[in-house]
């Protein structure tokens, strides 16, 4: 509020308006009063509300009607001055000034009016009996005050009320005619109540109220003061207090009481702390804090943001099934002005058997939004009240900007947690199935997905060397002649072809040669629908020969036509390649010559499996037979297996350490 400038306009001749201004400035009644006072700016540090105050006087004798209209259009607040001992000046308030101001201002943003009765030192009676009906008739009149420029009575109060009318207006909050809060105010306070209700039980307990008090007013709330507040609500509303906490009705009643008693600043302080402007709309500064992203950097949620989102999930997961039902999801998004997640989200992240978004899927969707559209993520966090609950300056504190990708490539290591894989292929090659299989859905489940709810993204977690990472799959439209930079910018590329379609691989070959032949982005060719009969591809080279020629991994067989959830091994390999694009130990072949294949074959050999089974049986189950224990053959095989394990384990450790 330190940037707000308050304008005062004083009307009606010979009522002492200029004297009021000069008495305020000099703190004494002037001997000589000009027709019009010069424009005055009072510094913020000497005003009660700590705002700079710009005072403008008006004189019918010196200024034209056009100048008057211009000043009215710029005014933040208008003071209409009348003389308490002059009935004609009081009548002119309703017959001339209020209609004139109404004509020159927008109906949707009426300027607040202050009625000022001057020269109270000349009469013994009050003019309030005459003024109160006028106040009830015109809702734009904020208040009325009687003062005396000569005796300096209520001079400072006059300017305080005028400032208050600008900074804490009644109009957006309350309807004097109906004597209740306006719908927009109720809607804003209801959102604030839901955010402040940290356990979502419909009651603000003492901890909720104390936290809100400290957050909004930066001062503690005494226990006795809290009890007094609840007692006031109890006396006026039977259902305002429940289980010794404030209900929504009680919360709204309390703010209605503040407004009715002239304590608008209390309600406005709460509203502005939660991001609302004078029109009770969330400000752009609150929803979209300044946030710059350098080139070749990505955006991710940090640890504190994930903890906050976890608390939000727990708050609305009422049945504790680690999934959000449609009703629970709707309840969560009640603090939003619109439903941010469409039905396609259920086909973008993991869901349970009922199709409800799981805890993992919930975090994945937030991760996806942060990566693709960080401004949208900031907006969503603003609706949830992140900066208030986490006591941060803005939602920007929830975002981490990753290091430039070029530096990661130079250092051959990365701290990023989200990796993007673009999936390309001809129509019908199996790209959508590849995305849905990542979410654990086999072909039977995929057939139940409606076409209008299809998603071109899929995101979930994988584990690489024990670290949890997010892999984001993006299905790119198949027109490779018009691929944009966004379609090509990623950490790893998947080229998918249908092994049963002889013309499917040609698309992959052309895309690779045109866009990725000289690229440093790792590429993998996926032979989809491997459960079908393999057809010979109508291309000059077979897929295997093409991969050998361009030093790619051999085509990876993949199918989602399984009884159980499809295997996720390929997705782990893709994430590993995205994390370590320069690493040599990312073999996906069956050559039986490289370290990877030798170790893999050994670990799956009959000898090792037999030794493992016997050891598990001895240590865990403890029911080995006496014959097994006495068998020299068993101990010979066990010792050989243990030796081989030790030697190859050490060799693998050295190889991995060297590559990393």
């Amino acid at each position: 509020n330190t940037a707000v400038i308050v304008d005062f306009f004083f009307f009606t001749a010979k009522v002492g308006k200029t004297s009021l201004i000069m008495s305020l400035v000099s703190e004494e009644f002037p001997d000589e009063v000009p027709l019009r006072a010069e424009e005055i700016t009072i510094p913020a540090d000497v005003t009660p509300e700590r705002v700079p105050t710009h005072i403008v006087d008006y004189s019918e004798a010196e200024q034209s009607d056009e100048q008057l209209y211009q000043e009215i259009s710029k005014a933040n607040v208008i003071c209409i001055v009348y003389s308490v001992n002059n009935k004609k000046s009081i009548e002119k308030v309703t017959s001339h000034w209020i209609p004139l101001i109404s004509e020159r201002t927008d109906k949707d943003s009426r300027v607040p009016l202050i009625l000022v009765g001057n020269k109270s030192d000349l009469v013994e009676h009050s003019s309030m009996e005459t003024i109160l009906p006028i106040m009830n008739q015109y809702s734009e009149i904020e208040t009325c005050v009687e003062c005396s420029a000569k005796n300096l009575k209520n001079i400072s109060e006059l300017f305080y009320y005028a400032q208050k009318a600008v900074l804490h207006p009644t109009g957006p909050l309350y309807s004097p005619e109906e004597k209740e809060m306006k719908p927009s105010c109720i809607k804003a306070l209801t959102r604030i109540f839901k955010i402040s209700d940290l356990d979502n039980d419909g009651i603000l307990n003492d901890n909720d109220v104390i936290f809100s008090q400290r957050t909004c007013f930066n001062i503690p709330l005494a226990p006795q003061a809290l009890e007094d507040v609840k007692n006031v609500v109890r006396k006026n509303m039977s259902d305002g207090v429940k289980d010794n906490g404030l209900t929504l009705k009680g919360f709204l009643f309390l703010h209605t009481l503040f407004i009715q008693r002239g304590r608008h600043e209390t309600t406005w302080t709460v509203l502005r702390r939660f991001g609302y402007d004078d029109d009770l709309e969330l400000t752009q500064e609150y929803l979209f804090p300044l946030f710059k992203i350098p080139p070749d950097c990505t955006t991710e949620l940090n640890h504190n943001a994930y903890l906050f989102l976890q608390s939000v999930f727990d708050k609305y997961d009422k049945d504790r099934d680690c999934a959000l039902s449609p009703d629970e999801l709707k309840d969560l998004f009640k603090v939003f002005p619109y439903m941010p997640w469409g039905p396609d989200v259920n086909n973008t992240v993991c869901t349970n058997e009922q199709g409800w978004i799981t805890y993992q899927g919930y975090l994945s969707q937030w991760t996806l939004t942060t990566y693709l559209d960080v401004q949208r993520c900031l907006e969503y966090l603003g609706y949830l009240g992140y900066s208030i609950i986490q006591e941060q300056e803005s939602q920007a504190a929830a975002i981490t900007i990753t290091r430039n990708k070029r530096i990661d490539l130079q250092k051959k290591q990365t701290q990023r947690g989200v990796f993007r894989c673009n999936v390309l292929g001809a129509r019908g090659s199996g790209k959508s199935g590849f995305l849905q299989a990542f979410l654990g859905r086999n072909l039977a489940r995929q057939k139940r997905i409606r076409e209008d709810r299809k998603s071109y993204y899929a995101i979930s977690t994988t584990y690489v060397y024990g670290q949890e990472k997010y892999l984001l799959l993006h299905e790119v439209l198949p027109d490779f002649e018009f691929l944009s930079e966004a379609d090509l910018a990623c950490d790893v590329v998947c080229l998918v072809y249908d092994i049963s379609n002889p013309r499917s691989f040609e698309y992959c070959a052309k895309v690779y040669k045109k866009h990725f032949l000289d690229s440093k982005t790792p590429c993998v060719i996926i032979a989809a629908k491997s459960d079908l009969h393999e057809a010979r591809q109508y291309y000059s080279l077979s897929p295997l020969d093409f991969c050998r020629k361009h030093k790619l991994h051999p085509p990876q067989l993949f199918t989602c036509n399984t009884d159980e959830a499809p295997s996720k091994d390929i997705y782990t390999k893709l994430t590993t390649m995205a994390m370590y694009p320069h690493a040599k130990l990312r073999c996906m072949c069956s050559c039986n010559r490289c370290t990877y294949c030798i170790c893999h074959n050994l670990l799956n050999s009959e000898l090792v499996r037999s030794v493992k089974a016997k050891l598990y049986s001895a240590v865990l189950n403890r029911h080995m037979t006496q014959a097994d224990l006495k068998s020299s053959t068993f101990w010979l095989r066990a010792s050989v297996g243990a030796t081989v394990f030790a030697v190859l384990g050490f060799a693998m450790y050295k190889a991995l350490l060297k590559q990393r």
Side-chain angles (χ1 to χ4, degrees), residues 155-295:
I155 300 296
S156 59
E157 285 79 2
L158 158 64
F159 290 92
Y160 168 74
Y161 287 133
Q163 286 180 326
K164 187 176 178 181
V166 177
L167 301 175
H168 313 299
T170 307
L173 306 181
Y174 189 75
S175 174
E177 297 86 358
E178 300 175 1
K179 296 184 178 180
E180 61 182 25
M181 281 195 296
K182 292 186 175 180
S184 58
C185 182
I186 294 175
K187 182 180 178 182
L189 290 174
T190 301
R191 170 180 170 266
I192 292 171
F193 179 89
K194 286 189 67 66
I195 291 174
S196 303
D197 181 14
L198 299 180
D199 54 5
N200 196 34
D201 61 352
I203 299 171
L204 291 185
N205 58 39
D206 289 356
N207 291 332
D208 295 336
V209 175
I210 291 171
F211 177 80
S212 180
Q213 168 78 13
R214 188 182 76 248
T215 302
C216 295
F217 300 96
N218 202 27
I219 54 175
L221 184 64
Q224 186 57 49
L226 180 55
E227 283 302 316
D228 292 342
V229 167
K230 288 189 285 188
N231 288 333
V232 170
V233 177
R234 283 192 188 98
K235 290 179 182 179
N236 292 273
M237 294 193 73
S238 58
D239 54 353
V241 177
K242 182 180 178 182
D243 297 336
N244 201 34
L246 288 174
T247 64
L248 176 58
K249 289 184 178 179
F251 181 73
L252 294 176
F253 167 78
L254 195 60
H255 280 282
T256 303
L257 201 62
F258 289 149
I259 297 168
Q260 290 174 341
R261 293 183 177 180
R263 293 176 56 187
H264 312 80
E265 63 274 13
T266 301
T267 301
W268 273 116
T269 300
V270 173
L271 289 167
R272 285 175 177 143
R273 178 65 183 92
F274 279 79
Y276 289 95
D277 60 15
D278 290 349
D279 297 320
L280 296 184
E281 298 288 344
L282 291 172
T283 65
Q284 293 295 301
E285 292 78 10
Y286 172 78
L287 291 177
F288 305 103
L290 292 176
F291 198 80
K292 295 183 179 180
I293 307 172

Side-chain angles (χ1 to χ4, degrees), residues 421-424 431-433 435 454-457 473-477:
C421 172
N422 284 353
V423 182
L424 297 93
K431 301 188 298 297
S432 299
L435 265 66
K454 180 181 176 182
S455 175
Y456 291 99
Y457 291 94
L473 301 179
H474 175 212
E475 179 183 342
V476 180
L477 295 177

Side-chain angles (χ1 to χ4, degrees), residues 38 53 60 80 88 102 111 139 266 297 304 358 365 387 395 424 434 449 467 474 510 520 549 563 582 634 636 644 660:
E38 296 294 329
T53 306
E60 287 182 296
I80 303 177
K88 289 185 177 181
S102 299
V111 179
S139 60
T266 301
C297 297
N304 289 332
T358 62
Q365 179 62 25
S387 60
Q395 297 87 263
L424 297 93
F434 185 73
I449 299 175
Q467 302 178 59
H474 175 212
K510 288 183 177 179
K520 295 182 179 180
K549 178 180 178 180
D563 294 332
H582 292 299
F634 165 75
L636 176 62
V644 172
R660 294 185 63 182

Side-chain angles (χ1 to χ4, degrees), residues 372 420 422 457 474 476 483-490:
L372 297 179
R420 177 168 179 161
N422 284 353
Y457 291 94
H474 175 212
V476 180
L483 291 177
S484 65
E485 291 185 8
D487 295 329
L488 302 175
C490 58

Side-chain angles (χ1 to χ4, degrees), residues 480 493 495 506-519 521-525 546-547 550-552:
F480 70 89
V493 176
L495 299 173
E506 183 179 7
Y507 175 91
C508 297
K510 288 183 177 179
V511 168
Y512 178 81
K513 292 172 70 175
K514 182 173 182 179
H515 298 289
F516 301 107
L517 183 61
D518 298 321
S519 172
T521 305
C523 293
V524 177
I525 292 180
F546 182 88
C547 292
H550 296 287
K551 298 180 180 180
L552 298 174

